[in-house]
Amino acid sequence: MSDSAITYTLYIQADPARVWQALTEPALTRRYWGLSFETDWAVGSTMDWVERGARTSDPAQVVLDCVPDRRLSYTWHTFSPEWAASVGVGEELRAALAGERRTKVTYEIEPVGDTLARLTILHEDFEPGGTLIGMCGRAWPMLASSLKTLLETGAPLPEPGHGTGQEL
């Protein structure tokens, strides 16, 4: 992690097509991430984030790159009051997040032999020393681990605080 980017690489016992599904199909993203994306995944298309009953729509939430089974990139979401209320974020924190520049996420999927995929997550363009990079730096390892666990075992990791004895 630098002061403006997070890079996270993991190896998943699944083929690239299955990793792609986990990144793009609402039924799977809801299982390990708790949200879904509504988009056609065409470059330039907008993305609605649907999380805990709140829909976050913004013309600047767009697909930047999309090569099925290989690469996906999009702008990070908008920190709306509706989103904040749905996930329990207070107005002061929401306003701080909304005041930072929009970031982007890129996933690179590469086959490794016949049974593995290497997934590299790059979340970049953070405000150096900003609030969002700290939050995402703590969240991405858990999120990526839950995706990996879902694909390898059929069940995501439990949410922190739900029987784990730990909070993020």
Side-chain angles (χ1 to χ4, degrees):
M1 188 163 94
S2 73
D3 65 349
S4 63
I6 297 166
T7 303
Y8 195 80
T9 300
L10 61 154
Y11 292 81
I12 303 171
Q13 191 168 356
D15 66 19
R18 186 71 175 141
V19 175
W20 179 263
Q21 287 177 316
L23 294 173
T24 59
E25 290 185 8
L28 289 171
T29 60
R30 277 191 295 271
R31 291 193 62 203
Y32 70 88
W33 199 338
L35 59 82
S36 62
F37 304 108
E38 291 185 4
T39 184
D40 62 8
W41 296 113
V43 173
S45 291
T46 58
M47 300 173 58
D48 284 1
W49 291 55
V50 182
E51 184 175 12
R52 299 183 187 183
R55 174 180 301 277
T56 306
S57 301
D58 187 309
Q61 283 175 188
V62 296
V63 177
L64 300 170
D65 193 10
C66 182
V67 180
D69 304 343
R70 296 286 298 149
R71 182 178 168 87
L72 178 64
S73 183
Y74 51 81
T75 57
W76 198 242
H77 72 88
T78 304
F79 300 103
S80 68
E82 297 79 14
W83 166 82
S86 74
V87 298
V89 168
E91 178 54 24
E92 186 175 323
L93 176 55
R94 187 210 64 82
L97 294 170
E100 295 183 19
R101 65 180 173 229
R102 189 176 298 273
T103 60
K104 75 175 183 178
V105 171
T106 302
Y107 304 94
E108 294 278 352
I109 307 166
E110 301 169 86
V112 179
D114 294 334
T115 61
L116 292 175
R118 177 176 36 245
L119 174 63
T120 301
I121 302 164
L122 173 61
H123 192 161
E124 61 188 324
D125 297 335
F126 290 99
E127 292 283 339
T131 301
L132 184 58
I133 193 169
M135 291 175 69
C136 289
R138 290 184 300 275
W140 275 116
M142 182 72 160
L143 179 62
S145 295
S146 193
L147 180 155
K148 174 182 170 62
T149 301
L150 174 64
L151 292 178
E152 293 180 347
T153 70
L157 295 175
E159 285 188 48
H162 289 91
T164 64
Q166 297 182 13
E167 302 268 342
L168 265 185

